[in-house]
Amino acid sequence: MKRGFRCVVWGSLASMLYAGPTNLDRDVKASPAQQDAKGPAAQSVVPVVRPEVAAARASAGPAESAPGLAEPTFKLAAVTPSDASVGLPKVTAPEAADECLVSQDCIDQYLWSLYERARKIDTVKVSERFKVTIKKKGKKRTVTKTRTKLVTEDFTWKDPNAAEKVGMSMSQYVIGGMERSFRLKLYRLMRAADDAGHAPGITSGFRDDYRQSIATGKKAASDSSYHGGSRRGGYGHGLAADVVSVKGETRADRWITTDLLWKWIDENGPQYGIGRPYLDRDPPHIGPVDGKEYVDKRGVNGKRAGS
């Protein structure tokens, strides 16, 4: 087989797209019963839900440097309750795993194809404050209470918005912002998961301080994310990604297959140098097992001292 790589167009694989919980843009693991498994069919895996977001979609491979990162104003995520049973998009990806190991462009192209095929949908907690009148010791008084409800959030617009602010293509921003050594480990892990039939997808790669600031739910400080916060080295030093499975016709189906993917990573990831530092607290989040984040949370070899 000739060196280099051959690329094929992935045909549409019916009913294999994930729309379940994701990364640090989440703080709740909703059950299938809490998720709507029906809705209008989506026509694109990357719908830009905010009209003002003009995402860069250049086909060039990820770059290794980035201009200074601006600190723009905060914007709220769009929320949508819809779901869809849709097939995989037609995504160009390398054909043979061994051919990619000698080409960074091939590795990046494969990782980008996994990002493209995963829908950016999450179930998040939203707190609402409301006033009620109560009677205490014979007197009426008005108090403010807080209730929490689950909503489905489409965060598709966030990465395009962040990439546009630094003048980069989406692939440059999301994939190129991760450290090279981590991309190689991630490539090998995702190839193995693909071969095992788990149909992995990537919902988040590199994130700068601005991108982290618009994440929702429990999360690291804007400059402290291992996805690429400025305190962690910034662009080109991202050491985290969020992964799900795109296998299944409904969100409930994809929740099951994603849970199986995470368990498979727990069992097989260490041999590829990758693990899940937070487990159930943030199940999609993965990073290198020899990295500070993983060691701090799980200890060496996934075992804390004294455990």
Side-chain angles (χ1 to χ4, degrees):
M1 183 178 294
K2 295 182 179 180
R3 287 291 179 96
F5 68 91
R6 296 179 293 121
C7 294
V8 296
V9 177
W10 288 14
S12 176
L13 304 181
S15 302
M16 291 179 61
L17 195 58
Y18 176 79
T22 62
N23 66 44
L24 291 179
D25 274 32
R26 62 162 308 281
D27 66 342
V28 60
K29 181 177 178 181
S31 67
Q34 295 171 315
Q35 304 185 38
D36 181 14
K38 296 181 180 181
Q43 299 301 318
S44 172
V45 70
V46 190
V48 177
V49 300
R50 294 181 65 87
E52 68 271 30
V53 176
R57 291 289 197 273
S59 59
E64 294 305 319
S65 62
L69 303 180
E71 190 67 29
T73 56
F74 182 86
K75 292 184 179 180
L76 293 175
V79 175
T80 173
S82 63
D83 184 32
S85 297
V86 295
L88 286 174
K90 294 183 178 180
V91 177
T92 301
E95 181 179 332
D98 57 346
E99 293 182 350
C100 258
L101 296 180
V102 297
S103 171
Q104 186 66 49
D105 287 343
C106 186
I107 291 171
D108 293 345
Q109 184 184 14
Y110 174 74
L111 295 178
W112 173 241
S113 73
L114 298 190
Y115 178 86
E116 283 189 301
R117 76 181 187 177
R119 288 186 71 197
K120 315 303 182 289
I121 304 292
D122 196 5
T123 301
V124 298
K125 287 181 179 178
V126 174
S127 296
E128 292 182 335
R129 296 172 66 85
F130 61 100
K131 293 182 178 181
V132 295
T133 300
I134 63 173
K135 193 172 184 179
K136 188 174 183 180
K137 295 182 179 180
K139 295 183 179 181
K140 291 184 178 181
R141 56 183 296 190
T142 300
V143 297
T144 301
K145 293 188 176 182
T146 302
R147 60 188 168 205
T148 301
K149 66 178 182 179
L150 301 177
V151 298
T152 301
E153 179 196 41
D154 186 332
F155 61 96
T156 305
W157 66 273
K158 294 184 179 182
D159 282 338
N161 184 278
E164 183 184 33
K165 288 181 183 299
V166 292
M168 301 177 69
S169 71
M170 279 284 288
S171 60
Q172 285 176 319
Y173 180 85
V174 174
I175 305 301
M178 293 187 287
E179 187 178 89
R180 274 180 174 265
S181 63
F182 177 60
R183 277 182 269 167
L184 177 58
K185 292 176 182 178
L186 184 60
Y187 167 81
R188 287 170 167 163
L189 177 68
M190 294 293 95
R191 276 290 190 184
D194 238 344
D195 291 343
H198 290 289
I202 296 174
T203 58
S204 181
F206 170 72
R207 291 197 297 211
D208 59 18
D209 292 359
Y210 166 68
R211 175 62 182 84
Q212 182 68 5
S213 74
I214 58 176
T216 52
K218 293 181 180 179
K219 59 181 181 178
S222 297
D223 64 350
S224 301
S225 172
Y226 282 94
H227 283 268
S230 57
R231 283 190 58 232
R232 309 298 182 188
Y235 187 86
H237 298 281
L239 289 173
D242 298 305
V243 298
V244 297
S245 173
V246 301
K247 186 177 182 180
E249 295 185 359
T250 67
R251 295 185 68 188
D253 291 340
R254 293 188 290 272
W255 172 254
I256 294 171
T257 58
T258 292
D259 193 52
L260 291 174
L261 170 63
W262 294 336
K263 290 178 180 177
W264 182 91
I265 291 174
D266 292 340
E267 295 175 0
N268 300 277
Q271 67 180 293
Y272 299 97
I274 289 180
R276 295 193 304 138
Y278 302 104
L279 299 180
D280 290 342
R281 178 176 173 270
D282 186 16
H285 185 90
I286 60 176
V289 295
D290 58 353
K292 185 178 185 303
E293 181 183 36
Y294 187 88
V295 173
D296 285 350
K297 302 301 179 182
R298 302 287 304 282
V300 178
N301 298 322
K303 296 181 179 178
R304 286 187 173 276
S307 62

